[in-house]
């Protein structure tokens, strides 16, 4: 069965410090992974997907099939990065299985 | 303004009552989904529909029902059989072709059972 694990519920970092959100998955097929973000009083929205291999708002994530991980990283956190972040796995037919989420608080 | 509209935003209901949450999209998406969001639980899939007149149970379908009579609409009924209905409910849609995996979400409906 597919599963997405995000081990840390709350992450507090100082502005300018690096931030890393961990995501591990279990899936028998070829995984498609995503990071979604929910800013305060905004809708949940796609941040980035592994197939695009792009950097969005300074965030990157690399799929590591050997470690079954898709960690999200940003070298220098900004206050506007404070949000809830969800790692998600496409379980087939665009049915996304989400992790429990990470609340990120960037301290000025 | 294109997107997904959920209504109502806030809803209160007494125990034993059924309640229906509305979800409408004008993105011309084939697929629609209902998720439940609880603190510390993330998002859990309730029901999804890949096409009109067809829908499938998700991971936590018990106590819920849906219909998909129109492409634009995917209402969710929370029945009295749902043991813990107080939650934040999110509707989403996506294209089924291309397999991009991007879901577009509504603003959510918060249901409180008194």
């Amino acid at each position: 069965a597919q599963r997405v694990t995000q081990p840390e519920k709350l992450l507090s970092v100082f502005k300018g410090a690096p931030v890393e959100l961990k995501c591990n998955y279990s899936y028998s097929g070829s995984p498609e992974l995503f990071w979604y973000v929910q800013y305060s009083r905004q809708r949940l929205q796609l941040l980035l997907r592994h197939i695009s291999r792009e950097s969005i708002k300074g965030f990157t994530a690399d799929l590591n099939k050997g470690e079954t991980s898709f960690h999200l990283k940003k070298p220098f956190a900004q206050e506007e990065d404070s949000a809830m972040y969800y790692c998600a796995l496409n379980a087939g037919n665009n049915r996304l299985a989400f992790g429990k989420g990470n609340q990120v608080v960037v301290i000025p | 303004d294109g997107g997904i509209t959920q209504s109502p935003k806030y809803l209160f209901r007494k125990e034993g009552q059924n309640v229906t949450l509305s979800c409408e999209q004008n993105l011309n998406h084939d697929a629609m989904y209902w998720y439940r969001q609880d603190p510390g639980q993330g998002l859990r899939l309730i029901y999804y529909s890949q096409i009109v007149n067809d829908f499938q149970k998700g991971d936590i379908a018990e106590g819920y029902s849906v219909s998909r009579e129109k492409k634009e609409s995917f209402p969710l009924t929370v029945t009295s059989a749902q043991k813990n209905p107080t939650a934040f409910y999110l509707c989403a849609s996506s294209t089924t072709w291309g397999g991009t995996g991007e879901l577009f979400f509504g603003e959510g409906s918060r249901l409180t059972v008194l």
Side-chain angles (χ1 to χ4, degrees):
Chain A
Q2 62 277 357
R3 187 164 57 195
V4 177
T5 304
Q6 293 179 250
E8 294 165 348
K9 285 186 181 179
L10 175 64
L11 189 68
S12 298
V13 297
F14 285 100
K15 179 181 173 181
V19 59
E20 180 178 21
L21 303 180
K22 296 190 187 300
C23 172
N24 288 90
Y25 67 91
S26 62
Y27 187 59
S28 57
S30 182
E32 289 182 62
L33 285 142
F34 310 85
W35 278 98
Y36 277 76
V37 61
Q38 190 168 28
Y39 301 103
S40 179
R41 288 185 289 278
Q42 292 189 28
R43 302 176 187 224
L44 188 61
Q45 58 189 287
L46 178 67
L47 179 63
L48 54 78
R49 68 195 90 190
H50 90 269
I51 58 172
S52 301
R53 301 186 64 81
E54 57 195 345
S55 172
I56 302 292
K57 299 184 179 182
F59 285 98
T60 59
D62 291 318
L63 176 61
N64 186 325
K65 291 186 180 180
E67 296 182 358
T68 60
S69 69
F70 188 57
H71 304 328
L72 183 68
K73 299 177 185 178
K74 183 170 182 176
F76 308 104
Q78 304 298 314
E79 289 180 65
E80 56 266 28
D81 296 329
S82 294
M84 194 76 178
Y85 293 81
Y86 292 95
C87 184
L89 167 72
N90 189 342
N93 291 327
N94 280 356
R95 288 178 302 124
L96 294 191
F98 287 84
K100 294 186 177 183
N102 294 122
Q103 180 71 53
V104 172
V105 176
V106 179
I107 304 164
Chain B
D1 183 24
I4 301 198
T5 302
Q6 290 186 240
S7 63
K9 275 192 174 181
Y10 301 94
L11 187 61
F12 297 88
R13 141 195 143 179
K14 292 182 180 179
E15 279 193 32
Q17 290 180 334
N18 292 356
V19 62
T20 297
L21 307 180
S22 169
C23 179
E24 304 277 332
Q25 55 100 359
N26 60 4
L27 299 169
N28 199 32
H29 285 167
D30 287 314
M32 296 186 75
Y33 311 82
W34 275 105
Y35 284 89
R36 173 179 169 141
Q37 188 178 30
D38 295 285
Q41 294 290 324
L43 277 75
R44 292 179 290 171
L45 183 63
I46 304 172
Y47 267 98
Y48 66 101
S49 168
Q50 297 291 309
I51 199 168
V52 175
N53 292 323
D54 185 51
F55 49 83
Q56 307 294 329
K57 291 183 179 180
D59 300 317
I60 55 165
E62 185 176 349
Y64 299 98
S65 66
V66 294
S67 62
R68 186 83 188 277
E69 296 175 2
K70 298 187 299 181
K71 187 175 185 178
E72 303 79 20
S73 178
F74 192 41
L76 173 74
T77 296
V78 185
T79 75
S80 57
Q82 168 49 233
K83 290 187 171 61
N84 187 19
T86 294
F88 190 62
Y89 292 89
L90 283 171
C91 180
S93 71
S94 74
T95 60
T96 51
W97 51 269
T100 65
E102 180 171 6
L103 301 191
F104 293 82
F105 284 88
E107 292 183 309
S109 293
R110 186 169 297 280
L111 172 64
T112 302
V113 175
L114 304 172

